[in-house]
Amino acid sequence: MEFFERFAVPNPNPAIYASMVAIVVVSLAIIIGLTYFKKWGYLWREWLTTVDHKKIGMMYLISALLMLFRGGVDALMLRAQLSMPDNKLLDPQHYNEVFSTHGIVMIIFMAMPFIFAFMNLIVPLQIGARDVAFPRLNAISFWLFAAGAMLFNISFVIGGSPDAGWTSYFPLAGTEFSESVGTNYYMIAIQISGIGSLMTGINMITTILKMRAPGMTLMKMPMFTWASFMACVIIIFAFPVLTIALLMGTTDRLFATNFFTTTNGGMDMLWANFFWVWGHPEVYILILPAFGIYSEVISTFSGRNLYGYKSMVGSMVIISLLSFLVWTHHFFTMGQGALTNSIFSISTMAIAVPTGVKIFNWLLTMWKGKIRFTVPMLYSVGFIPLFTIGGVTGVMLAMSAADYQYHNTMFLVAHFHNTIIPGVVFAMLAGLTYYWPKMFGFMLNERIGKWGFWFLSIGFVLAFFPMYITGLNGQARRMYTYSEATGFGPLNFVAFIGAGLMAIAFCLIVYNIFYSIKHSPRNVGDDPWNARSLEWATHNPVPEYNFARTPHVASSEAFWDAKKHGHELFKGEIEEIHMPNYSGVPFIMGVIFFICGFSFVFSLWIPAIVSLIGIFACMVLRSFEKDDGRLISVEEIKATESKFESAEEIKTAVSTYGGANS
């Protein structure tokens, strides 16, 4: 019985028991559904074994949306608890667990897969490639992310959630103060997912440097590809720091080492430095691809080429360099001295300059443009003032002396969300709507999408702007309650209403997907937005081989030049195309990594050792495997192309007939 007691949740409550029941019911429903409709074979052949960058991107996208729901529920619980003084909805321990998991779910398991989804879906198409450089490594990257996400998300029903904050500072995260296995989940799940992220960074850099279409020099790459490239450069320098720090933290907890302890030669501040050496570049890992999406959307719906291409590229390079020189501003108040604080205060203010350059570039792109206010454009235009406010409050926080007033208050919480939500979430939703026809061959409903945008934007302002005021008035973050005498109650209730509006926006987004699947017209054409870059030069949805003939590029807006200036994009005859074979090994490795991680969380050493052997066995198997891929014949390519061309002709005929009768 003692063996099974270790898996019990330390602080159970009705919500956790309800979650356990829901997980069992949903799992059974999925298994029964797959069995009844005989889809196990389809699931294995088309998804679990895929190495196609487009399908992997879609799986990242689905995962991100699920984690957005999970993290959003956590956020609603936090705002509900703080909506009134002396509230008893959550007890202190449950509140600690909820805000700790909320941060990690949103950053690591929602925002990261969102950007990886678009990197996978769009970058190979924008550079004219058939796939990524290492397709099987790409699949392993996804399944490691999935293993880490699944491991982290079972913590609240098996063993208990992390409760030391999303930063998990030591000594609070040590075994003395965090006795449950929750922090073990934190350390190991993020390590597994982080290894996958590092693999993705290496893969994308190689793809961009080695697989561009003929004529596409670095300075002719679309802006989203440039943004993805710089984000991946940051990944390969930042994520190893996090991985090693997590490994050190794991050994402190499992093997009683003393890297981050306060005794026996340990140094707890070492963790804070390691974490933020990764943590602040992580902000730009998320924000740079978002900037790339905004650049594509604003240029398309302004009907103009992107203003200041070279300055945009240069600003991203400068941001990437400076992102590694600002980490200490996260702990100005922790005693490193006035000189150090002054240096990092200056570097933090400096990083606002290249960011400001990009804001002006987007504004000047729209200047004198013929703007179409579609859903993606609304998110992009709404981003600019909201993100600018977040940036200005960031400069306020960069002043080390003033930070003694702002630090650890709700002002800081408001600032962080004021940059991440307009900066990243708005971009992901803009990209989701913009690239939806590229993925699925039909468009999301514009009217419902615009309702979603306004609910999200108004809800965001109501949810987070009051926190600036309560923070300046002294409301501390991470506190599960407050007294009526503080006067924080009314503004916190306004914030709760805003969070509710944001929840409605999410429901509208989900409803829009279901509504559009049922009602949106198909055959919207290959270029429904009248776009400018190369990904729109192929069919919707994209065939397996991406392009029947390799494109030849002469500018950063090759497709626009082909449409408007007669540039010949596709030259020569169709030839047979080499493609990689699918493989089940990446999925199997993901399952083994999950078992290994779970075993380490609970110190189950025999299954941990066996699973480690299994991981190395998969690597050895791959080393000796002879896999030359496969060829798609010219006849098969022509048959596929003719189907798309026939669909395009039908669409044109319907549009012409409809126009004649309107």
Side-chain angles (χ1 to χ4, degrees):
M1 196 65 184
E2 289 183 8
F3 176 81
F4 293 102
E5 286 178 356
R6 73 174 73 184
F7 302 111
V9 178
N11 300 281
N13 60 52
I16 291 177
Y17 289 133
S19 299
M20 292 177 180
V21 174
I23 290 170
V24 172
V25 170
V26 171
S27 300
L28 287 174
I30 293 172
I31 292 170
I32 293 169
L34 289 170
T35 304
Y36 179 80
F37 293 105
K38 299 178 180 179
K39 291 295 184 181
W40 286 106
Y42 167 79
L43 182 66
W44 176 259
R45 289 190 308 272
E46 298 297 326
W47 294 97
L48 299 183
T49 62
T50 188
V51 296
D52 185 340
H53 70 97
K54 298 177 290 296
K55 290 183 177 179
I56 290 172
M58 290 179 192
M59 290 193 291
Y60 271 122
L61 188 61
I62 293 168
S63 302
L65 290 172
L66 290 173
M67 291 299 101
L68 180 60
F69 173 77
R70 162 70 206 277
V73 170
D74 287 342
L76 283 175
M77 294 170 66
L78 296 174
R79 296 318 314 162
Q81 168 63 22
L82 295 175
S83 62
M84 59 186 69
D86 301 313
N87 200 354
K88 305 297 183 183
L89 177 66
L90 302 177
D91 60 51
Q93 177 61 26
H94 196 191
Y95 185 85
N96 288 347
E97 293 177 3
V98 171
F99 82 72
S100 299
T101 55
H102 168 73
I104 289 298
V105 165
M106 286 302 205
I107 296 295
I108 301 293
F109 300 123
M110 185 280 289
M112 288 295 287
F114 240 137
I115 68 165
F116 286 157
F118 289 115
M119 285 184 187
N120 273 279
L121 287 163
I122 305 307
V123 167
L125 298 176
Q126 283 199 334
I127 64 174
R130 303 285 183 206
D131 208 309
V132 295
F134 308 115
R136 191 176 292 196
L137 187 68
N138 198 26
I140 294 173
S141 299
F142 171 76
W143 290 115
L144 289 184
F145 154 76
M150 185 66 70
L151 185 65
F152 189 86
N153 278 281
I154 66 168
S155 63
F156 76 106
V157 293
I158 304 176
S161 294
D163 59 359
W166 87 276
T167 56
S168 205
Y169 281 157
F170 284 80
L172 180 61
T175 53
E176 181 182 358
F177 299 105
S178 297
E179 297 178 2
S180 76
V181 297
T183 304
N184 292 356
Y185 274 115
Y186 175 102
M187 297 288 169
I188 295 168
I190 300 175
Q191 276 185 82
I192 294 173
S193 181
I195 293 170
S197 299
L198 183 58
M199 289 178 179
T200 298
I202 295 168
N203 205 347
M204 285 296 166
I205 287 175
T206 308
T207 301
I208 293 168
L209 291 179
K210 293 295 185 181
M211 299 184 68
R212 300 191 306 278
M216 183 178 284
T217 62
L218 288 176
M219 294 307 291
K220 291 178 183 175
M221 294 195 307
M223 195 53 62
F224 179 73
T225 299
W226 255 115
S228 299
F229 177 75
M230 294 312 305
C232 289
V233 170
I234 299 174
I235 284 173
I236 64 171
F237 284 102
F239 264 85
V241 178
L242 176 67
T243 303
I244 296 302
L246 290 167
L247 180 61
M248 294 163 71
T250 302
T251 59
D252 270 14
R253 289 187 57 83
L254 298 183
F255 304 112
T257 55
N258 293 284
F259 292 111
F260 305 128
T261 60
T262 54
T263 58
N264 299 322
M267 185 185 298
D268 54 338
M269 278 302 296
L270 185 62
W271 167 267
N273 279 275
F274 281 164
F275 183 89
W276 288 115
V277 165
W278 163 81
H280 202 84
E282 166 67 9
V283 172
Y284 295 99
I285 291 170
L286 301 178
I287 209 74
L288 287 181
F291 286 171
I293 289 175
Y294 288 132
S295 297
E296 302 293 341
V297 169
I298 290 172
S299 178
T300 294
F301 295 111
S302 298
R304 296 189 60 196
N305 62 303
L306 191 64
Y307 181 89
Y309 177 94
K310 292 181 179 179
S311 63
M312 290 285 270
V313 173
S315 65
M316 284 193 293
V317 173
I318 294 170
I319 288 171
S320 301
L321 292 172
L322 289 177
S323 70
F324 287 95
L325 302 176
V326 297
W327 80 90
T328 299
H329 73 219
H330 290 277
F331 40 88
F332 276 147
T333 63
M334 294 187 185
Q336 58 263 26
L339 178 61
T340 301
N341 280 359
S342 298
I343 293 170
F344 282 91
S345 180
I346 293 168
S347 64
T348 303
M349 293 181 192
I351 205 169
V353 176
T355 308
V357 168
K358 303 182 81 64
I359 296 291
F360 282 106
N361 282 351
W362 290 317
L363 292 173
L364 290 169
T365 300
M366 290 186 281
W367 180 255
K368 295 185 178 180
K370 190 175 181 181
I371 298 174
R372 292 175 285 154
F373 285 105
T374 60
V375 172
M377 190 62 170
L378 283 176
Y379 279 113
S380 302
V381 172
F383 143 79
I384 292 175
L386 293 176
F387 182 81
T388 301
I389 293 170
V392 169
T393 57
V395 174
M396 293 172 65
L397 287 159
M399 294 183 286
S400 56
D403 190 62
Y404 279 80
Q405 174 68 27
Y406 308 137
H407 191 67
N408 268 343
T409 68
M410 298 303 283
F411 185 95
L412 179 58
V413 175
H415 154 73
F416 181 74
H417 289 82
N418 211 156
T419 55
I420 293 298
I421 293 178
V424 179
V425 177
F426 276 32
M428 298 305 113
L429 295 176
L432 179 70
T433 310
Y434 184 61
Y435 287 115
W436 189 270
K438 182 56 58 183
M439 292 184 277
F440 301 108
F442 64 94
M443 300 175 73
L444 294 175
N445 183 274
E446 278 283 299
R447 186 168 179 268
I448 301 173
K450 288 178 180 178
W451 275 105
F453 164 76
W454 286 112
F455 268 96
L456 184 62
S457 299
I458 295 169
F460 167 79
V461 171
L462 290 177
F464 293 102
F465 280 29
M467 295 184 197
Y468 285 122
I469 300 171
T470 62
L472 287 175
N473 285 336
Q475 185 181 6
R477 60 175 175 167
R478 301 172 181 156
M479 298 294 289
Y480 90 105
T481 191
Y482 54 92
S483 68
E484 187 173 358
T486 60
F488 300 147
L491 286 175
N492 275 295
F493 190 77
V494 171
F496 174 62
I497 293 172
L501 293 178
M502 294 175 74
I504 293 172
F506 178 80
C507 293
L508 285 170
I509 292 164
V510 174
Y511 172 71
N512 195 3
I513 292 173
F514 285 104
Y515 179 90
S516 301
I517 289 172
K518 187 175 181 180
H519 297 290
S520 287
R522 270 51 177 176
N523 301 326
V524 295
D526 297 337
D527 182 25
W529 302 116
N530 192 24
R532 309 175 77 86
S533 47
L534 200 55
E535 70 270 27
W536 298 100
T538 186
H539 305 296
N540 292 342
V542 184
E544 178 187 10
Y545 48 79
N546 293 350
F547 300 93
R549 290 172 292 171
T550 302
H552 289 71
V553 174
S555 74
S556 62
E557 296 185 325
F559 184 46
W560 185 262
D561 289 344
K563 291 190 295 184
K564 302 300 181 182
H565 306 299
H567 170 68
E568 187 179 0
L569 196 55
F570 299 103
K571 303 176 182 179
E573 299 295 324
I574 293 176
E575 299 176 353
E576 62 182 9
I577 296 172
H578 176 269
M579 296 298 292
N581 286 322
Y582 283 15
S583 172
V585 174
F587 172 74
I588 293 169
M589 286 188 71
V591 173
I592 298 173
F593 263 99
F594 175 85
I595 296 170
C596 181
F598 186 85
S599 301
F600 271 99
V601 167
F602 289 96
S603 301
L604 305 173
W605 302 120
I606 293 177
I609 292 169
V610 171
S611 55
L612 284 173
I613 293 172
I615 292 168
F616 284 105
C618 289
M619 296 167 67
V620 171
L621 176 66
R622 174 57 176 160
S623 298
F624 287 97
E625 182 181 1
K626 292 184 178 180
D627 183 0
D628 296 324
R630 57 194 171 84
L631 294 174
I632 302 177
S633 67
V634 173
E635 292 73 21
E636 187 178 349
I637 297 168
K638 288 182 176 179
T640 303
E641 291 296 303
S642 64
K643 290 179 184 177
F644 280 109
E645 289 167 4
S646 298
E648 183 70 15
E649 289 172 3
I650 292 171
K651 179 256 179 184
T652 303
V654 169
S655 299
T656 303
Y657 179 79
N661 288 275
S662 60

